[in-house]
Amino acid sequence: MTIDDIQQLKRYSLYDGIYLAVLWSASFACLILTDRYQPLSIGFMLAAVSTPFFVGWRLKKYRDEGLQGTVSFRRALFYCLRVFFNGALLFAIVQYFYMKYMDCGHLFNMLTSTLMTAEATGMMKQMNLDIEQMRTAFESIGATQFALTYFVENLIIGILLSLPISFIMKSTNSIPQS
């Protein structure tokens, strides 16, 4: 890979990372608003599940538009890893600002109300956990811890998803120029 190839990959992966962060932010917004409008839980799940398909689609656009239809597994993997890193970083910033300035305990109240259900209470009793300990643990998590935790989680998921996406989307067939 030449310097120009690396610069091109950086540009594509940066923009696509921004798009991925927007997708994840929409999914997060659906999660936050689920208690007010229950059908948004479907939007949350669809946006979350669509992540590998979205990255695969963006890799295909990079392959076809930027590389004339040819991308090696290594370059595809590097591209996917950068997209997931950029997306996770930007999404962590969004989550930090949401948790720090906008949440006011809404997400943790939603989680604790979920823990009050009969199924969750029964499961917690089997695991010898106390609801008040869980509530205290939730309340002690700061915005920075929350954002960093999900940043690392999204990176790990991104690494795991990058391998099959790169393998499936690699191509040695170039597109004929017209």
Side-chain angles (χ1 to χ4, degrees), residues 135-170:
R135 183 176 294 194
T136 304
F138 280 152
E139 290 172 355
S140 69
I141 297 172
T144 305
Q145 289 174 307
F146 184 85
L148 283 175
T149 299
Y150 282 97
F151 172 70
V152 171
E153 180 181 306
N154 289 332
L155 277 180
I156 291 170
I157 290 169
I159 291 168
L160 294 175
L161 289 175
S162 291
L163 292 167
I165 293 169
S166 301
F167 182 75
I168 291 168
M169 298 305 293
K170 70 180 171 59

Side-chain angles (χ1 to χ4, degrees), residues 67-124:
L67 302 173
Q68 288 75 43
T70 302
V71 67
S72 67
F73 173 77
R74 190 179 92 198
R75 188 178 294 191
L77 181 63
F78 188 57
Y79 165 84
C80 288
L81 291 173
R82 288 202 52 123
V83 168
F84 277 112
F85 177 80
N86 293 334
L89 182 63
L90 293 171
F91 183 53
I93 292 168
V94 168
Q95 285 182 316
Y96 171 79
F97 281 108
Y98 172 78
M99 296 302 290
K100 183 80 173 173
Y101 300 109
M102 296 172 62
D103 185 61
C104 301
H106 173 75
L107 181 63
F108 294 119
N109 289 337
M110 197 169 79
L111 291 173
T112 48
S113 68
T114 302
L115 290 175
M116 298 297 191
T117 62
E119 298 87 13
T121 306
M123 183 179 71
M124 288 178 51

Side-chain angles (χ1 to χ4, degrees), residues 59-71 169 171:
L59 174 57
K60 182 182 182 308
K61 286 190 74 78
Y62 168 60
R63 179 190 72 196
D64 294 345
E65 292 175 7
L67 302 173
Q68 288 75 43
T70 302
V71 67
M169 298 305 293
S171 173

